[in-house]
Amino acid sequence: MRPLIAIFINVLLIGGLFLYMGIRDTGEETHHIAEPEKAEGIYTLDISTTFKISWEEVFLLNAQGGENAVISINGMRLTGEMMKSPFDSTFRINNLPGIIEGKNEVFIELSRSSEDATRPAAVNVEIKKDGVKYFSDVFWFEPEEPVVMTVVFNEDKAKDN
Amino acid sequence: MKNIKTSFLYIVFILVVFSFFLLAAEREGKPVLFCSTTQINDFVKNVVGDDCIVYAVLPPGADPHTYQPTPGDAQRAASVDLCFENGLHLEGKNWMATLAKDAGKPIVTCTDGIEPLIIEKSGQTVPDPHAWFDPRNAAVYVRNITEAVCKLDPINKEKYEARARLYLQQLRNLHAWIKKEVSRIPPHRRILITSHDAFNYFGRTYNIDAQAPVGWSTGSEIGAGMTPKRRIEIIESTKKMGVRAFFVETSVNPKLIREIARETGIKIGGELYSDSMGEHGTAGDTYIGMMRENVLKIVKALE
Ligand SMILES: [Zn+2]
């Protein structure tokens, strides 16, 4: 009789354990978000504007947490440290961090001087992958309109071939 | 005793007559406008300021899809100069157009000129009426309103146009601000689950995947078309998608979304303004305020 009771208790315990693990697993599944894979390759971002902007100043301001220019990639705000040196009329960020497999988003906000803001403006955004032009778009802005743009592009493995 | 009663009645009579005179004085020469929704009411007020008298049919929190006009609405429609509706069948069974038509008043459809998003509603494709959720569409509403009031009251044309210019600039700033705020959410987390599908334009404009388990139905229809099978599908798919939060809406019964949130263990990210703005005195009592409140809640929950 006793071995039978022991087996019964064991089955109960093991069963309970599995049941608990099952519940715990589904519980974890609820809050699990598949973090996307990092894309391979070196990406460069070039921004050129029809209005004057002191990139030196942007660089410094950003380093101090100022908001003369704001650039975010996939929800990650770039710091002055990541924004590399000014480059004539073009602002370049070498080795753009945070590009993932799938949908990518680059957010750019620039400020114009009050004098420049009385005229329309254009901003050219270009992304290169391993030195080859990969994406480019021109954004137009009316006088007084905030210079804010979002660039969306898809990065997938198939494109590498 | 009789004397007191008579003089009391006399005073009441004088007061009533006086208040009518006051009303008439205030209304003197001013055009009277009648708007269907709280958002349109706000757009119109931003353009006309104190130069017109503006009334809205819907109070804050009311649902335009299921609203039934009252005899009071019909009476008011008969006394106004111009009506404004959203159009694209936001006003269920086109109640605003019917009110205007029955009263013999002209009506402006604020969504005229907007390329509507086409969505599926019980197997049929229909235009999505929630166009104001893209501030660039709100600008179209404002331009349509401005054109109509300038025609109605050309003496004040310059004032209306100046106010509209200022407000359009505010809408442009709002659009830029939303883009910036949303940029803080990693794109793969941008899944917005709400009670009813009011957020398609918002989603398209700001790269957010907007979905609503209830589909089109709102208000009294809540839970309509929700079968146990569909319910299980929703629960499974939200778990798989990695949804971070559900949102309830001010003008929609939150029962169903709260139940699904409980069953999936996903939190409620807050209450969003959708088809109606907030009560007077709340942060969402203007269009810009309601958009701002929504964005702050969405970013906080999904960031
Ligand atoms: Zn709606």
Side-chain angles (χ1 to χ4, degrees), chain B residues 63-65 90 129-130 132 196-198 216 218 249 251-252 274-275:
Chain B
D63 180 351
H65 300 289
L90 174 78
H130 306 88
W132 65 87
H196 95 292
D197 49 5
W216 191 259
T218 65
E249 291 165 55
S251 60
V252 181
S274 58
D275 291 359

Side-chain angles (χ1 to χ4, degrees), chain A residues 122-135:
Chain A
V123 176
N124 185 56
V125 178
E126 194 173 300
I127 296 169
K128 287 195 185 85
K129 182 180 180 179
D130 298 326
V132 181
K133 188 158 128 185
Y134 177 78
F135 174 93

Side-chain angles (χ1 to χ4, degrees), chain B residues 21-218:
Chain B
F21 271 113
L22 271 183
L23 266 180
E26 201 214 5
R27 280 196 49 172
E28 201 190 341
K30 283 188 185 178
V32 185
L33 313 174
F34 201 20
C35 313
S36 62
T37 69
T38 50
Q39 285 90 358
I40 294 174
N41 187 33
D42 186 42
F43 297 146
V44 169
K45 280 184 171 162
N46 272 290
V47 175
V48 302
D50 288 334
D51 292 315
C52 297
I53 293 166
V54 188
Y55 297 113
V57 180
L58 294 180
D63 180 351
H65 300 289
T66 56
Y67 184 74
Q68 307 263 358
T70 64
D73 296 332
Q75 242 169 19
R76 176 143 286 163
S79 73
V80 304
D81 298 301
L82 185 58
C83 299
F84 294 91
E85 65 163 359
N86 183 83
L88 303 176
H89 308 293
L90 174 78
E91 294 89 351
K93 298 189 181 116
N94 293 335
W95 52 259
M96 191 65 190
T98 310
L99 273 175
K101 196 175 159 224
D102 290 350
K105 304 293 174 172
I107 186 161
V108 174
T109 302
C110 296
T111 49
D112 268 358
I114 289 172
E115 180 83 47
L117 259 176
I118 302 299
I119 55 167
E120 238 188 80
K121 180 192 175 187
S122 40
Q124 283 184 318
T125 52
V126 291
D128 184 341
H130 306 88
W132 65 87
F133 270 110
D134 181 337
R136 293 168 305 179
N137 286 345
V140 177
Y141 284 54
V142 171
R143 282 193 203 101
N144 285 335
I145 290 164
T146 310
E147 201 186 307
V149 292
C150 286
K151 231 182 251 170
L152 177 75
D153 182 23
I155 296 166
N156 287 315
K157 188 171 185 267
E158 261 175 47
K159 280 206 258 178
Y160 297 141
E161 281 174 347
R163 285 199 202 95
R165 265 198 303 278
L166 263 177
Y167 190 63
L168 288 172
Q169 181 60 28
Q170 289 179 38
L171 291 179
R172 274 198 288 272
N173 290 341
L174 173 73
H175 179 51
W177 178 81
I178 298 175
K179 269 192 193 175
K180 185 176 177 179
E181 286 301 302
V182 171
S183 79
R184 290 162 50 179
I185 312 169
H188 68 282
R189 286 192 197 161
R190 289 188 202 157
I191 304 166
L192 183 67
I193 308 271
T194 54
S195 312
H196 95 292
D197 49 5
F199 292 85
N200 295 318
Y201 289 94
F202 184 78
R204 182 184 63 171
T205 310
Y206 302 110
N207 302 317
I208 295 172
D209 183 7
Q211 300 184 17
V214 189
W216 191 259
S217 59
T218 65

